[in-house]
């Protein structure tokens, strides 16, 4: 029988707490920590005051390719890639730090939920690592954006340079587009 380390368990609890505070779903917590499902549910309830949401995790790459989610996914992944390339952060720790920086960069109203959730950010990293998605430079602005690996992307033009006709019809979406364009300038 293996000895349980109090220090290791404490580190796992701290990691789970960080992810819960950032909005991670239970399945993500289970895959990234060695804590039991029961302990994670108890910890989630203690931190959030409610039971963790039920249901399946996102499993399609399509969500990351639509107009607004693509912009946010690209912002997050550029931050994540920088973290992995230029710091000692790896794995879930790099995702947590990159997601925290993403949240700081994307200004949002107090009541609004961020476009990209922690769980979707983790899923995005998994999709890129499995080569289902990749980064591609825009031929117009030169920014790097998430694209489908199996599409023809030689003359790729991003969603900021070529905004789809139905995108940004709401006042909130237009304001967000202006903020993001200003961040890239």
């Amino acid at each position: 029988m293996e000895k349980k380390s109090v220090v290791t368990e404490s580190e796992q609890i701290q990691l789970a707490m960080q992810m819960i505070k950032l909005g991670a779903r239970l399945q993500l917590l289970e895959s990234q920590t060695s804590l039991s499902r029961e302990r994670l549910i108890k910890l989630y309830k203690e931190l959030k005051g409610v039971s963790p949401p039920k249901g399946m995790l996102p499993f399609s790459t399509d969500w990351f390719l639509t107009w607004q989610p693509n912009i946010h996914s690209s912002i997050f992944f550029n931050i994540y890639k920088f973290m992995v390339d230029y710091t000692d952060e790896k794995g879930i720790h790099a995702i947590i730090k990159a997601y925290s920086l993403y949240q700081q960069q994307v200004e949002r109203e107090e009541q609004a939920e961020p476009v990209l959730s922690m769980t979707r950010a983790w899923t995005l990293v998994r999709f890129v690592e499995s080569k289902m998605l990749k980064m591609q430079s825009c031929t117009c602005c030169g920014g790097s954006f998430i694209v489908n690996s199996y599409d023809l992307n030689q003359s790729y033009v991003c969603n900021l340079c070529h905004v789809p006709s139905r995108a940004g019809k709401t006042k909130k979406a237009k304001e967000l587009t202006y903020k993001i364009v200003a961040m890239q300038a």
Side-chain angles (χ1 to χ4, degrees):
M1 194 165 157
E2 281 186 47
K3 284 176 106 178
K4 288 188 176 182
S5 167
V6 175
V7 173
T8 303
E9 185 176 20
S10 174
E11 290 170 350
Q12 292 292 300
I13 290 171
Q14 288 298 321
L15 177 62
M17 287 173 60
Q18 279 183 299
M19 291 191 290
I20 290 168
K21 288 176 183 174
L22 291 173
R25 299 270 301 268
L26 189 60
Q27 296 93 324
L28 169 54
L29 300 171
E30 286 180 300
S31 73
Q32 297 300 312
T33 67
S34 59
L35 300 172
S36 70
R37 181 176 180 84
E38 291 75 30
R39 297 244 3 227
L40 290 169
I41 291 171
K42 190 174 181 179
L43 185 60
Y44 194 99
K45 284 180 181 178
E46 191 173 327
L47 288 173
K48 294 279 191 172
V50 295
S51 295
K54 293 176 174 43
M56 294 174 48
L57 292 181
F59 59 88
S60 172
T61 59
D62 294 342
W63 184 87
F64 299 100
L65 303 175
T66 58
W67 177 70
Q68 192 174 30
N70 182 261
I71 294 167
H72 285 262
S73 299
S74 300
I75 291 170
F76 164 77
F77 199 79
N78 278 299
I79 296 169
Y80 170 77
K81 186 164 174 22
F82 182 86
M83 294 289 293
V84 169
D85 291 348
Y86 296 103
T87 70
D88 292 333
E89 298 296 334
K90 303 288 181 229
I92 191 64
H93 298 287
I95 294 171
I96 289 170
K97 290 207 175 165
Y99 188 74
S100 296
L101 288 170
Y102 157 77
Q103 282 186 317
Q104 290 174 15
Q105 290 299 311
V106 179
E107 296 177 4
R108 57 188 167 93
E109 295 178 25
E110 292 296 317
Q111 303 298 334
E113 288 289 319
V115 173
L116 183 70
S117 69
M118 172 67 180
T119 302
R120 285 203 189 267
W122 173 72
T123 304
L124 173 63
V125 171
R126 291 178 53 219
F127 283 157
V128 172
E129 287 175 350
S130 66
K131 299 187 180 359
M132 294 170 71
L133 295 173
K134 68 177 185 175
M135 296 298 285
Q136 180 70 37
S137 293
C138 174
T139 56
C140 187
C141 69
S144 294
F145 292 86
I146 295 291
V147 297
N148 190 322
S149 296
Y150 303 108
D151 287 346
L152 300 174
N153 296 306
Q154 290 80 2
S155 302
Y156 176 73
V157 177
C158 72
N159 290 319
L160 290 173
C161 294
H162 185 348
V163 178
S165 60
R166 301 186 92 202
K169 294 295 182 188
T170 65
K171 181 181 177 185
K172 191 172 166 181
K174 285 180 186 176
E175 289 172 4
L176 178 64
T177 302
Y178 293 131
K179 287 179 184 179
I180 292 172
V181 169
M183 282 176 25
Q184 290 216 348

